[in-house]
Each structure stands twice: as structure tokens, then as C-alpha cells.
Amino acid sequence: MSVATASASDSNRTLRTAAVGAATGFGAAILGYLATYLATSSTIENSTASQVLEALGQGFSTWKVVGWVFMNAHGVVTKFPALFGGTSAVNLIENVDAFSAVLYVVPVVALVAAGVLAVVVSGAHSTKAGAIAGASTVLGYLPVALAGIALFAITIGDSVARPDPVTAILLAGAVYPALVGTLSGVATAALR
């Protein structure tokens, strides 16, 4: 095998790993959101807080508040306009008794599955290749976190309630998929 052929083969393998990681990361984010929706939507729809938000805000939808909860499960707070100016930060999982702390496990389980799947589909056999395949889940998870900043916004008066943009990008978009994806990728490759 010539150097050019080996280099092309490595390049194709890298692109395949990135594509698989992006697809599994995207799937993990969507499945994590759907699991959160199933666990919380009826509670949100029947809450007094949702009726207040619906009355005061524009663009209120249960799916947006579920997005807040999904982001909260990553440690991302939801920023609300405060009564006398400024903003307040809330984690609904910690502040709504009806929400179980088990919701914090949802993104972890989804990302473990994504890391495992990325390793298996990409064919990674070494722990280094497994780490790369697992970490590549960031490529699909980060765009969902970025979209969530805009999609999960509700206008309240002249202000907007939404997931905190900085922690949404850093925690939900980068740290969670990189850390969990890498660890699950390494473990899966080691077991193979």
C-alpha cells in the first residue's frame, strides 16, 4: 500500500468516524429530549406556572418548557426576567417537586448509548479510536444545544426566558457529549 493510499484511507476513516459521531450525537440529543418530554409534559401542561407563562408570554408551548427541563438536566439554568428588572436563573428540576432527579440521568444514558454506537458503527478497535469516535458525538449534540437557545425561548414582555446561552453551549453542547462520549467510547473499544 502506498503512502498516498494509506493517507486517503486514514482520511476516509476519519470522515466516517466524524459522520457517525455526528449522527449518534444528534440522535442522542433528540432521544434525550423525547424522553424528557414523555416524563414531564403532562406535569408542565397541568401546572399553574404554565398558565401564568401562557398568559404573560408570547410563544408559550409545552415543548419549549420541556426544552428548559432537558437543558436543566445538563446543569444549564433557565434565565427569566426578574420582577423588577434583571434576570433570575432557575433549574426547574431542582425547583419543581413533581420533577424527579432521575431526569439528570437522561442525557447521560443517551450519550453513553451514542458513544457505544459511534464506536461500533465506526469500527473502532483501539481505545484511542474509541475515544475519538465517542468524542465525535459533540458534532451532533452541539448543534442541538445551539438550536435550543433560540427554539426554547419565550418572550415575556420586553424580555426573553430561555436556557442560559453560555452554559447551554459549554455544558450541554460541549462538556457533556465530549466527556460521556469519550468515556463510553474508550470503554466500548476496550471491551471489543
Side-chain angles (χ1 to χ4, degrees), residues 25-63:
F26 181 79
I30 298 304
L31 288 175
Y33 173 84
L34 290 175
T36 305
Y37 187 91
L38 291 173
T40 64
S41 62
S42 64
T43 301
I44 291 167
E45 288 171 354
N46 298 321
S47 73
T48 304
S50 72
Q51 293 169 1
V52 170
L53 280 173
E54 193 169 359
L56 295 177
Q58 296 173 356
F60 174 82
S61 293
T62 300
W63 67 268

Side-chain angles (χ1 to χ4, degrees), residues 55 86 113 127:
T127 54

Side-chain angles (χ1 to χ4, degrees), residues 35-141:
T36 305
Y37 187 91
L38 291 173
T40 64
S41 62
S42 64
T43 301
I44 291 167
E45 288 171 354
N46 298 321
S47 73
T48 304
S50 72
Q51 293 169 1
V52 170
L53 280 173
E54 193 169 359
L56 295 177
Q58 296 173 356
F60 174 82
S61 293
T62 300
W63 67 268
K64 291 183 178 189
V65 179
V66 169
W68 296 351
V69 176
F70 179 62
M71 296 298 256
N72 292 163
H74 296 82
V76 177
V77 295
T78 304
K79 296 264 186 143
F80 290 94
L83 193 56
F84 299 106
T87 59
S88 61
V90 176
N91 183 319
L92 297 174
I93 299 172
E94 295 173 3
N95 292 295
V96 176
D97 292 336
F99 294 153
S100 170
V102 172
L103 290 167
Y104 288 113
V105 178
V106 169
V108 175
V109 169
L111 284 164
V112 165
V116 169
L117 191 57
V119 168
V120 171
V121 173
S122 70
H125 290 288
S126 70
T127 54
K128 179 182 176 184
I132 292 168
S136 68
T137 59
V138 170
L139 299 173
Y141 213 83

